[in-house]
Amino acid sequence: MGDRLRVGLAGFSEHPWRSVDKTRRFFLNAIEKKFEYEFVDSSDFSGDVLLNFSSSKWWQSRENDFPVIHCIHGGATIDVEFLKKNLTNLYRTDGLIVNCHSDVELLNLYTDESPIVSLLQLPVDHSIFYRRHDYTQIDDIIHPDELVIGFFARILPQKNLHGFLESFYCLKRQFKKLKAVVVGNYWLDYPLFNWEGTQYPNYIQKLINQYQLVNDLKYFTSTLSSSDLALLMSRCDIIMHPTLSVDENFGYVVPEAMACGTPVIGSAYGGLKDTLAEENVGFAMPTWISDSGLRVDLASGTYACQKYLSDHDIRKNHSQNAMKLSSIHYSLNAFQNKLSAIINETVARHKRSENKDTKVSLGDFLIKNNTDVNYLPDTDGISWNDISNSVYYYTSKPTYNQEKHLVYPSSPFHLNQVSKQLKMNNPMWPATFDVSSEEIKILDTFSNSHFIQPTQFDLNYNTKLNSMIKKGILNFTKK
């Protein structure tokens, strides 16, 4: 026992966000198994290394007696001003733990003389999340003959329940026995880009009524036990996760659903780019930035859902692949071994370094956009232009090509033909545009009641279509 490293733990109090607190518990369990440890509230710690889960104190200037490893929970996209201010307080023998490749890329752009940036993908508790086969306890809720598509997330505009409902509405026209399961609680006071958050429950209810989905949708709060959550995930034939939450640095929904043998159609964004990277386990919807916020190719996700729901053999094959991948890459044992290796390597690097007193320096990466364009409502905090350059590295960065793609509106819209003003009916990115007569002509070709029905234009529209995609008025999808 005496040969084990002594790890100080800072910022490990219970966290109000369920997903972050789950991560905290995974970290604690791993540390308890691998190291001697103590909880640290003051600066008098004298152990081998300090692991900072969420304390701002340990980002401040300090003496370099031991290395500090900081956990980055999606902050590389939204905490850029904090990082600009505090990264230079770190030493090159300190460490940063991130949960997706996009964060590695970003943090290496933010710094020239970088601390150790370590990728640590989060685990799944496979004693809870595994494929269930007995659904008798929910047969009175979901009939055994019904197909089921699921949505599992906190319910706020950035998680894109409205996009899920649009896809579900389209799918219902083809699959009459299709039902939807929605699991999550509304988060009305989400602190970032929450332009219409308090009105979101009303918006969702109106959408359900408009699409006549009242009898086809089953709603559960997130107070479900983890076992019941796994049961519902297993019962779903597919899960759709069209999140555009700008700090989606991992996302437990995908690996947990994979452990339950359910393919996920998710946004190719942040951590989901990693968990959905493997072929034949699910489908990643392309994402990109526009002048008015994040965009996801919802049409491609709807097509992928149609493919899964139409072909039982594909669902079964991808289900088996997903369970296998989850058991290998997202096991508790793999997580614990990786975290242990990160801590040991950080301590070893600190001991052998001849430059223990060398601090981190910032790189030349431009944090803010050099543009005055603003199609979104004003905000009191972070604006879209403040972080869009960083958010770009979380996206899948597809490029529009008229010969390979079709286009469609990024959301339902209201067009005033007299004032030539376009208002996107999008609670996540409620942009307003002044539009030209040529843009109005393009928009008039779309059915606003069914916005993800793509349309092809001749090549004469190429420049204008590119401009409307850049603004965020149009999305594109493969032909």
Side-chain angles (χ1 to χ4, degrees):
M1 296 288 287
D3 295 333
R4 297 170 69 179
L5 294 179
R6 186 159 190 82
V7 179
L9 302 179
F12 273 86
S13 300
E14 289 187 15
H15 198 281
W17 293 13
R18 184 173 178 176
S19 59
V20 178
D21 200 62
K22 181 190 297 188
T23 304
R24 179 188 68 88
R25 294 194 302 271
F26 283 138
F27 269 82
L28 284 176
N29 290 337
I31 295 296
E32 288 172 356
K33 286 181 169 58
K34 300 287 186 177
F35 301 99
E36 297 292 315
Y37 67 94
E38 65 177 275
F39 293 99
V40 177
D41 294 322
S42 62
S43 58
D44 59 357
F45 174 67
S46 58
D48 297 292
V49 60
L50 187 135
L51 180 62
N52 176 26
F53 189 77
S54 62
S55 171
S56 60
K57 171 185 176 179
W58 288 97
W59 284 89
Q60 299 170 12
S61 183
R62 69 177 208 281
E63 295 297 323
N64 190 33
D65 296 328
F66 49 82
V68 177
I69 303 173
H70 299 276
C71 300
I72 308 288
H73 308 287
T77 55
I78 63 173
D79 292 335
V80 287
E81 291 302 321
F82 175 88
L83 291 171
K84 280 179 67 177
K85 179 181 178 181
N86 290 284
L87 277 172
T88 53
N89 290 329
L90 306 188
Y91 295 90
R92 292 190 66 186
T93 55
D94 288 335
L96 301 171
I97 289 179
V98 298
N99 308 128
C100 67
H101 285 92
S102 294
D103 276 341
V104 175
E105 188 174 9
L106 269 173
L107 288 165
N108 284 327
L109 286 171
Y110 291 167
T111 56
D112 278 337
E113 295 178 343
S114 176
I116 309 168
V117 182
S118 302
L119 176 64
L120 178 64
Q121 292 185 314
L122 301 175
V124 172
D125 187 343
H126 288 92
S127 69
I128 298 173
F129 291 92
Y130 58 88
R131 185 68 172 175
R132 312 297 172 99
H133 297 283
D134 182 4
Y135 306 119
T136 53
Q137 71 182 83
I138 55 173
D139 281 348
D140 59 331
I141 302 173
I142 305 170
H143 193 274
D145 291 337
E146 291 173 334
L147 292 168
V148 182
I149 181 173
F151 177 92
F152 296 76
R154 296 189 299 269
I155 303 178
L156 65 154
Q158 287 191 39
K159 292 295 185 179
N160 206 5
L161 176 57
H162 50 285
F164 169 86
L165 292 174
E166 172 66 22
S167 288
F168 179 47
Y169 166 70
C170 295
L171 294 166
K172 274 293 295 182
R173 299 191 301 173
Q174 181 178 349
F175 303 96
K176 303 303 180 185
K177 290 187 175 182
L178 181 64
K179 301 294 182 182
V181 167
V182 174
V183 180
N185 290 346
Y186 282 101
W187 190 351
L188 302 184
D189 58 350
Y190 186 70
L192 182 65
F193 300 146
N194 196 17
W195 290 289
E196 301 181 27
T198 57
Q199 299 302 314
Y200 197 54
N202 293 334
Y203 182 93
I204 291 298
Q205 191 57 55
K206 288 179 181 178
L207 210 56
I208 291 171
N209 293 337
Q210 175 187 338
Y211 293 152
Q212 299 180 353
L213 301 176
V214 174
N215 296 323
D216 300 308
L217 189 150
K218 307 296 182 183
Y219 171 70
F220 302 86
T221 68
S222 59
T223 55
L224 289 173
S225 68
S226 295
S227 180
D228 287 341
L229 189 66
L231 177 66
L232 285 174
M233 282 185 166
S234 297
R235 178 60 184 86
C236 291
D237 294 281
I238 53 175
I239 287 173
M240 194 174 196
H241 193 50
T243 176
L244 287 177
S245 187
V246 294
D247 56 346
E248 193 80 68
N249 69 315
F250 184 69
Y252 278 108
V253 169
V254 177
E256 288 176 351
M258 290 168 61
C260 295
T262 305
V264 178
I265 297 87
S267 307
Y269 184 79
L272 275 68
K273 283 196 302 184
D274 296 344
T275 51
L276 288 173
E278 194 84 10
E279 291 186 2
N280 301 324
V281 298
F283 178 79
M285 296 179 283
T287 60
W288 59 93
I289 62 169
S290 75
D291 291 338
S292 58
L294 274 168
R295 296 294 183 263
V296 60
D297 181 9
L298 198 62
S300 70
T302 306
Y303 297 149
C305 290
Q306 290 174 347
K307 181 178 179 181
Y308 277 117
L309 294 171
S310 300
D311 195 322
H312 176 268
D313 290 339
I314 290 179
R315 292 204 309 273
K316 182 178 179 181
N317 177 261
H318 287 200
S319 171
Q320 292 171 342
N321 292 341
M323 287 187 287
K324 181 179 179 180
L325 184 70
S326 178
S327 67
I328 296 172
H329 293 299
Y330 304 109
S331 70
L332 289 171
N333 189 56
F335 171 81
Q336 291 166 2
N337 288 339
K338 177 64 175 177
L339 178 58
S340 176
I342 290 171
I343 291 173
N344 284 315
E345 289 165 9
T346 302
V347 172
R349 174 173 167 169
H350 178 79
K351 288 181 176 179
R352 67 173 180 264
S353 175
E354 297 179 355
N355 299 306
K356 290 184 175 63
D357 297 327
T358 304
K359 289 197 172 184
V360 170
S361 62
L362 293 182
D364 295 327
F365 182 75
L366 296 177
I367 301 298
K368 293 187 177 182
N369 260 334
N370 295 319
T371 177
D372 295 326
V373 174
N374 187 18
Y375 300 111
L376 294 163
D378 291 335
T379 60
D380 293 331
I382 299 172
S383 74
W384 173 240
N385 286 343
D386 289 336
I387 65 170
S388 59
N389 275 0
S390 297
V391 169
Y392 168 79
Y393 289 89
Y394 261 44
T395 69
S396 59
K397 312 168 194 158
T399 303
Y400 169 68
N401 182 321
Q402 176 132 1
E403 295 181 348
K404 296 181 180 180
H405 293 103
L406 305 174
V407 297
Y408 60 98
S410 60
S411 74
F413 58 87
H414 173 72
L415 176 61
N416 188 317
Q417 297 275 5
V418 177
S419 66
K420 293 186 177 180
Q421 190 170 75
L422 178 73
K423 169 70 175 177
M424 306 306 288
N425 184 18
N426 184 344
M428 182 167 40
W429 304 106
T432 302
F433 306 91
D434 294 323
V435 288
S436 66
S437 297
E438 190 174 17
E439 288 172 328
I440 290 175
K441 184 178 179 181
I442 291 172
L443 292 167
D444 281 343
T445 65
F446 296 102
S447 169
N448 194 32
S449 62
H450 181 39
F451 74 90
I452 60 173
Q453 183 173 5
T455 299
Q456 183 172 4
F457 291 87
D458 63 59
L459 292 176
N460 292 330
Y461 283 96
N462 190 42
T463 301
K464 184 55 64 178
L465 294 176
N466 266 299
S467 173
M468 294 175 76
I469 289 168
K470 182 179 182 300
K471 290 179 181 177
I473 298 172
L474 297 180
N475 282 1
F476 59 93
T477 192
K478 286 185 178 179
K479 290 182 179 179

